Amino acid sequence: MPVWNPQAVGRPDVMFEAQERSRLVRAALERLPPEFRDTLVLKEYDGLRCEEIAEVLGVAVGTVKSRLFRAKLELKRHLAAFFASPSSLAD
């Protein structure tokens, strides 16, 4: 489903699905180690650049990039079962 679908606005099933997806992502974020979670939140939710994140966290830019990479891998691993396509589950 596209990000914006005018026909879906206000549909209870679409709203429930979006809320459930958001809940799953928040739960997966909570499972990340704090340094990964903080780095990912600053990047994806607060929109900071790697240099800004490094300054805020007091770490090197390379550390920020490494944490982002590892955080995304862990998040993907935690969410894989929930967002797998039905055909991939049959394999």
Side-chain angles (χ1 to χ4, degrees):
M1 185 169 118
V3 173
W4 172 246
N5 181 347
Q7 291 80 25
V9 173
R11 284 187 34 200
D13 60 327
V14 173
M15 291 174 15
F16 173 78
E17 188 176 301
Q19 290 171 344
E20 185 63 10
R21 186 180 313 113
S22 181
R23 185 190 68 75
L24 290 169
V25 170
R26 280 194 309 273
L29 277 170
E30 287 299 318
R31 294 178 66 187
L32 294 177
E35 62 273 11
F36 291 176
R37 180 178 53 246
D38 295 345
T39 305
L40 190 64
V41 167
L42 288 170
K43 177 70 172 166
E44 300 300 331
Y45 289 90
D46 295 335
L48 298 182
R49 294 179 295 111
C50 290
E51 295 78 14
E52 295 169 317
I53 297 168
E55 188 175 325
V56 168
L57 298 178
V59 299
V61 173
T63 301
V64 170
K65 291 177 180 181
S66 174
R67 287 180 182 178
L68 285 171
F69 178 79
R70 294 176 64 195
K72 289 176 183 182
L73 281 180
E74 281 296 304
L75 198 60
K76 182 178 178 180
R77 187 177 66 78
H78 291 310
L79 295 171
F82 298 108
F83 295 106
S85 66
S87 62
S88 69
L89 294 176
D91 294 337

